[in-house]
Amino acid sequence: MKNLSRKSMFLLILAMIFQLGLGNYLTSSTFAAAADPVITATPGSASFVAGDNTASTPVIIDSGLTVTDGVSTTLESATVAITGNFHAGEDVLGFFNDGATMGNISASYNAATGLLTLTSAGATATLAQWQSALRSVAYTNTAIWPNTATRTISFSAIDGASNTSNTTTRTVTVTATDQTPIVTVTGGTTAYISGTSAVTIDPGVTVSDLDNTTLSSATVSIGAGYKSGDTILFINTSSVLYGNIVASYNTATGVLTLVSAGATATLAQWSNALSTVTFSTGSTTTGNRTISYTVSDGAKTSAASTKTVNVLGPPNLTASSGSASFVAGDNTPSTPVVIDSGLTVTDGISATLASASVAITGNFQSGEDVLAFTNDGATMGNIAASYYAATGVLKLTSAGATATLAQWQSALRSVAYTDTAITPNTATRAISFSAIDGAGNSSNTTTRTVTVAATNQTPVVSLSSGPAIFRTGDLLTSTPVAIDNGLTINDLDNATLASATVNVSSHYSDQEDVLAFVNDNASAYGNITASYSSTSGELTMTSAGAAATLAQWQNALRAVTYNNIAATPDTAARTISFTVNDGTSNSNRVTKSMTLIALSSLSASTNAISVLAGQTATTAITAKYSDLTQADVTSNVSWSVRNSAIASVSNGTITGLQAGSTVITAVYGTRSIDINVTVSSVSISGPVTNPAVKIFYDFVSMDRLKASIQNALNAGNSASFQDTASHWASKDLSLGAKLGIINGYPDGSFRPDASVTRAEFSTLVVKAFALRLENGGKEFEDTQTSWARDSIGILAYYGVISGYPDGTFHPDQKITRAEMVAILSKILILQSNSGEANTFIDVTPQYWAKAIIEEAAAAGIIQGKGENRFAPNDNLTRAEALTVILRVMKKDPVISGLLV
């Protein structure tokens, strides 16, 4: 065995000698004994690529290398050497024990020779551990631009028995990497005030390139935030500082391109150039712009390095998109609409504003448009405002320019628009906002629109106060009553209406209730027609073409009547509803209560009358109703006499014809009452030629009075007044108009409940009794220019009236009920028929006219007002005056017969 070892050693030495002396003609493997260590490399090459601006990544030389040994199970050492194209200062071989598969193998690298020596203390590392270790050996190159010759890497080892292995090699290809240039900007943000001169974006830009000393081009571009008008600029003012670098700017893209012809500008010149690039803008939009820098060495372009430019500016107002919407109110003031609740206010220069203006700059309508501002006292500082209606401008100010941007924003967001017109112009308004800040800088003008919508104004119906009254049982044939002759109609945007409805909306009975309207006056009612549905209790009124005016509709609805056709009606109150329509909208629904009052009974002022033959007596018939009210219905009673030979009756005046007794029946509506009449004969001394009793004083000419009445009746005159149809004195008023005693007003009304003056009553008396005077009558100091001068003079002459102690008459003073009785007592010779005075609780024993009032009441020419009151000091009404005058006239049987 020892001899074999020596032989092997000899052969190895011989082989080495031959190799050294003869070159590569003999290899180590040629004479190696089969038992020595053997290292076998994997075919092919490993590939190393230099890093780009980073340390290169080592490459495993041979991850498939194998180690075998026929003598020993361990190796003592190994070497890995760069034996082909070694470059000191660049090439590095590296090994790292993973601590798991490589035993106690350690290594050291000799950078001067390119030799990596690996050892195992005590030669304890196994072949497998050595194989794992050698497979992990890596090559790297520390040069930025390495020599690219292929490296030859040789592996050899000595085993634990001191046997030396063969030497095996593997190649590593080396690829250089063009180093990407690097551009670096400083930190922070560059501030730019809008409207000022250009600012240098970053005076500290640096450029580097690990494998180039010059660059070919660069770009500086505006990325995020770019606005039209933004400009970046470089001007080469020194070939020393900037070489041959020139620049061009693309306004469409916001990119500044810098180039060096022939790529001759140095890194320093590029750093200088990029450090002088400036920014400016003509845009009013403030905010950040992102500026990106890149450089290129002709092959590679650097990563972008960014800098922020914050564009600060004067006040900037930004309106929201879209429009605000204004809608006119319906019969109410319109609700203002906030113009822009999202408007924003910014300012890069000042933290406050001094003033602002909100103006209607498009389609302003003077007299309609209003802008308004109210400081909420919490978020709006000391901002105050004034509006100029003639120009449509709202001026807002902050004393001392102390209100902050946030406070101004809150204030401007609250500015509201309204239109005061009933029917506004619907053109869309343009509202412009502008401001001046605390530093005196003016803002932009921003605009928002407000759409304007008109609203059809709903017509409005209003009723007079109080209920309407329908008296049932007053007449055998019911008389319709106007439901509300005080009804009014209003429509703010229509002069005409199309239709209306009136209906009985509660307690309706189709067997009783009737609503009606008759168009008997085209001037008053236009073309309004009506149809009534007894099924629904609804009266439908229409105007063809909506031609009837508001006034005509008002007249028509005032003329709508209610009637109850039942013999015994249900007296539950009816609710009458009114609505109108302008062709688009229905009005409000208003209701009137119709009170049904039933006739309960009749009473006579006396139920037993004694009268001399040839004389007269009077009685008054009072109707009593379910609501406890009373009314004098004497003039409306139907009379009958059981024995017409004994007495006659006309309008409450009973004339004795011959001695005897009879019963006179008064019928009113559905009620009747009997009056017992006793006629006594009269003793007459001498021949009787005329049994009539004297009724009037001598100055009343009976012949002239009868002729006057007969002429008026023969003339066939007739008159009606628009406001007397449902009045209690309607019949007497019609008769007075027929006789020419009374006249109405130019508007067709009579105003029956209006008070009467002393002059008016004097004229009525003179006309009624056909009084004449051949010579001029008596005059008073204040009647010489009075329109009633003649009538007053006649009555004064006959002593019917008298003046005041100062010689005046006071013709325009209202006359009282007591004064009326006093005047008529000077014309009619009052006689009490019952022998008992008719007293009233409000006519005291000391009252100046007590006697004549009681005599007139007993004679049946006057009556009280209910509850046994006469109200002597109340003003006399026009209706009362005529009714009493007619009663006086009817005291004469002949005249009474004429006036039936």
Side-chain angles (χ1 to χ4, degrees):
M1 187 68 175
K2 183 176 181 181
N3 293 333
L4 179 61
S5 296
R6 289 178 177 175
K7 182 179 181 181
S8 298
M9 181 63 72
F10 173 76
L11 291 174
L12 177 59
I13 293 171
L14 182 62
M16 292 180 67
I17 292 172
F18 273 99
Q19 185 172 356
L20 292 173
L22 300 178
N24 290 327
Y25 292 104
L26 297 175
T27 66
S28 59
S29 59
T30 304
F31 299 101
D36 293 338
V38 176
I39 301 174
T40 305
T42 305
S45 298
S47 298
F48 169 82
V49 178
D52 184 1
N53 287 299
T54 61
S56 299
T57 302
V59 60
I60 299 296
I61 300 168
D62 191 348
S63 61
L65 176 147
T66 61
V67 177
T68 61
D69 193 327
V71 178
S72 176
T73 59
T74 65
L75 296 181
E76 177 183 349
S77 64
T79 59
V80 182
I82 303 173
T83 56
N85 294 315
F86 169 65
H87 285 78
E90 293 185 20
D91 296 338
V92 176
L93 297 177
F95 163 75
F96 177 77
N97 190 314
D98 66 6
T101 66
M102 302 178 186
N104 64 344
I105 300 171
S106 61
S108 62
Y109 178 67
N110 188 331
T113 61
L115 177 65
L116 177 71
T117 302
L118 299 91
T119 59
S120 168
T124 58
T126 66
L127 296 180
Q129 290 170 334
W130 276 101
Q131 181 173 282
S132 178
L134 293 174
R135 283 182 175 184
S136 72
V137 174
Y139 168 84
T140 189
N141 193 303
T142 60
I144 293 171
W145 190 271
N147 185 292
T148 58
T150 299
R151 306 302 195 265
T152 300
I153 312 298
S154 298
F155 295 82
S156 64
I158 297 173
D159 65 14
S162 300
N163 297 305
T164 300
S165 74
N166 64 315
T167 297
T168 187
T169 61
R170 199 165 197 259
T171 58
V172 175
T173 61
V174 178
T175 303
T177 298
D178 179 39
Q179 300 298 297
T180 303
I182 298 172
V183 59
T184 305
V185 299
T186 61
T189 298
T190 299
Y192 171 76
I193 297 176
S194 180
T196 62
S197 58
V199 64
T200 300
I201 301 170
D202 189 347
V205 177
T206 59
V207 176
S208 63
D209 192 323
L210 296 178
D211 60 353
N212 287 287
T213 59
T214 64
L215 297 177
S216 62
S217 64
T219 62
V220 185
S221 59
I222 306 173
Y226 172 69
K227 302 297 178 185
S228 177
D230 291 350
T231 301
I232 47 180
L233 182 66
F234 166 74
I235 300 174
N236 191 330
T237 60
S238 171
S239 60
V240 174
L241 293 175
Y242 311 124
N244 67 342
I245 299 171
V246 294
S248 62
Y249 181 64
N250 187 328
T251 58
T253 61
V255 177
L256 178 72
T257 303
L258 301 92
V259 296
S260 167
T264 59
T266 67
L267 297 179
Q269 290 169 334
W270 277 105
S271 293
N272 292 338
L274 293 176
S275 293
T276 62
V277 174
T278 61
F279 172 88
S280 64
T281 183
S283 170
T284 59
T285 304
T286 59
N288 289 338
R289 311 292 201 266
T290 300
I291 312 298
S292 297
Y293 294 79
T294 64
V295 293
S296 174
D297 60 7
K300 285 189 173 182
T301 300
S302 71
S305 186
T306 60
K307 182 81 172 183
T308 298
V309 174
N310 183 15
V311 178
L312 307 174
N316 186 69
L317 309 182
T318 305
S320 304
S321 60
S323 298
S325 298
F326 170 82
V327 179
D330 184 1
N331 286 295
T332 59
S334 299
T335 301
V337 60
V338 171
I339 300 166
D340 191 347
S341 61
L343 178 141
T344 59
V345 178
T346 59
D347 194 325
I349 302 171
S350 177
T352 65
L353 299 183
S355 64
S357 174
V358 184
I360 303 172
T361 54
N363 295 314
F364 170 61
Q365 304 296 316
S366 179
E368 293 186 23
D369 295 338
V370 175
L371 299 178
F373 162 75
T374 300
N375 192 312
D376 64 7
T379 67
M380 302 178 186
N382 67 342
I383 298 169
S386 59
Y387 179 64
Y388 299 89
T391 59
V393 176
L394 179 73
K395 290 287 188 181
L396 298 95
T397 57
S398 166
T402 58
T404 65
L405 298 182
Q407 290 169 335
W408 275 101
Q409 180 169 280
S410 179
L412 293 174
R413 284 181 173 184
S414 74
V415 174
Y417 167 85
T418 190
D419 195 304
T420 59
I422 293 170
T423 304
N425 183 298
T426 56
T428 296
R429 310 301 197 266
I431 314 292
S432 296
F433 296 79
S434 61
I436 298 174
D437 69 12
N441 299 298
S442 297
S443 77
N444 62 316
T445 297
T446 189
T447 302
R448 197 164 198 251
T449 56
V450 176
T451 60
V452 178
T455 297
N456 178 57
Q457 301 295 302
T458 303
V460 177
V461 183
S462 301
L463 300 178
S464 61
S465 60
I469 297 175
F470 180 83
R471 295 183 181 275
T472 69
D474 280 13
L475 298 174
L476 294 176
T477 302
S478 299
T479 300
V481 297
I483 299 168
D484 191 342
N485 56 19
L487 174 147
T488 59
I489 299 175
N490 188 34
D491 193 317
L492 296 179
D493 61 352
N494 287 288
T496 63
L497 297 177
S499 63
T501 59
V502 186
N503 71 302
V504 183
S505 55
S506 71
H507 294 105
Y508 172 67
S509 170
D510 60 359
Q511 301 300 312
E512 299 184 15
D513 301 321
V514 176
L515 300 178
F517 165 74
V518 177
N519 189 335
D520 55 5
N521 187 332
S523 176
Y525 307 132
N527 66 340
I528 298 171
T529 59
S531 62
Y532 178 66
S533 169
S534 59
T535 302
S536 63
E538 184 168 277
L539 180 72
T540 301
M541 307 169 73
T542 57
S543 165
T549 66
L550 296 180
Q552 289 169 334
W553 274 104
Q554 183 170 280
N555 292 338
L557 290 174
R558 286 180 175 183
V560 173
T561 59
Y562 168 84
N563 193 13
N564 193 300
I565 59 176
T568 306
D570 176 0
T571 58
R574 309 301 199 264
T575 299
I576 313 295
S577 301
F578 293 80
T579 59
V580 298
N581 184 280
D582 60 9
T584 301
S585 301
N586 284 328
S587 71
N588 58 318
R589 180 175 177 269
V590 292
T591 59
K592 188 85 170 179
S593 176
M594 175 65 69
T595 301
L596 276 65
I597 300 175
L599 178 63
S600 301
S601 62
L602 297 178
S603 64
S605 56
T606 178
N607 290 326
I609 293 178
S610 297
V611 65
L612 296 174
Q615 294 186 357
T616 61
T618 60
T619 186
I621 307 300
T622 299
K624 297 182 179 181
Y625 295 92
S626 57
D627 65 346
L628 304 182
T629 61
Q630 300 180 14
D632 182 355
V633 295
T634 305
S635 60
N636 295 315
V637 165
S638 297
W639 303 90
S640 63
V641 183
R642 291 184 185 176
N643 189 337
S644 58
I646 294 174
S648 64
V649 62
S650 175
N651 204 26
T653 300
I654 300 170
T655 303
L657 299 178
Q658 66 180 30
S661 297
T662 188
V663 175
I664 291 178
T665 301
V667 178
Y668 178 70
T670 58
R671 304 291 178 176
S672 64
I673 188 172
D674 292 336
I675 303 169
N676 295 315
V677 177
T678 301
V679 179
S680 303
S681 60
V682 60
S683 299
I684 302 175
S685 58
V688 179
T689 57
N690 185 0
V693 177
K694 186 174 182 63
I695 299 297
F696 303 117
Y697 287 98
D698 290 338
F699 58 81
V700 178
S701 171
M702 293 303 296
D703 290 339
R704 184 167 61 239
L705 177 58
K706 292 174 185 177
S708 175
I709 294 172
Q710 193 64 58
N711 290 337
L713 295 175
N714 290 339
N717 296 324
S718 63
S720 61
F721 306 106
Q722 65 178 18
D723 57 350
T724 62
S726 60
H727 197 270
W728 61 269
S730 60
K731 290 185 178 179
D732 286 340
L733 295 174
S734 296
L735 178 58
K738 189 173 183 180
L739 295 175
I741 299 173
I742 60 172
N743 296 304
Y745 289 91
D747 63 358
S749 66
F750 179 69
R751 305 174 194 174
D753 296 320
S755 299
V756 179
T757 66
R758 289 163 62 82
E760 290 172 334
F761 189 71
S762 299
T763 303
L764 286 175
V765 171
V766 169
K767 284 184 177 181
F769 293 100
L771 300 181
R772 300 289 185 274
L773 192 64
E774 296 299 330
N775 300 314
K778 180 179 179 179
E779 288 190 354
F780 299 94
E781 289 185 6
D782 56 350
T783 62
Q784 295 177 8
T785 59
S786 173
W787 63 273
R789 171 184 176 183
D790 292 342
S791 296
I792 294 170
I794 292 172
L795 294 183
Y797 177 83
Y798 289 127
V800 176
I801 60 174
S802 58
Y804 291 90
D806 63 356
T808 61
F809 179 69
H810 299 179
D812 297 323
Q813 180 177 299
K814 301 291 191 297
I815 192 169
T816 67
R817 286 164 58 84
E819 289 173 331
M820 173 265 296
V821 175
I823 291 173
L824 292 179
S825 70
K826 303 292 182 61
I827 296 175
L828 175 68
I829 302 172
L830 293 173
Q831 302 178 49
S832 176
N833 296 308
S834 63
E836 296 181 1
N838 190 352
T839 60
F840 298 98
I841 62 174
D842 59 347
V843 180
T844 65
Q846 295 81 21
Y847 192 75
W848 66 272
K850 175 177 173 62
I852 58 177
I853 289 173
E854 292 179 346
E855 288 177 356
I861 65 170
I862 62 170
Q863 64 183 39
K865 285 194 170 185
E867 299 180 354
N868 202 26
R869 295 175 61 257
F870 180 66
N873 296 322
D874 284 3
N875 289 335
L876 181 69
T877 68
R878 289 163 59 84
E880 290 172 337
L882 178 64
T883 299
V884 175
I885 287 172
L886 289 175
R887 287 177 184 169
V888 171
M889 295 174 66
K890 291 177 180 179
K891 286 299 177 181
D892 182 85
V894 176
I895 293 176
S896 179
L898 292 174
L899 299 181
V900 172

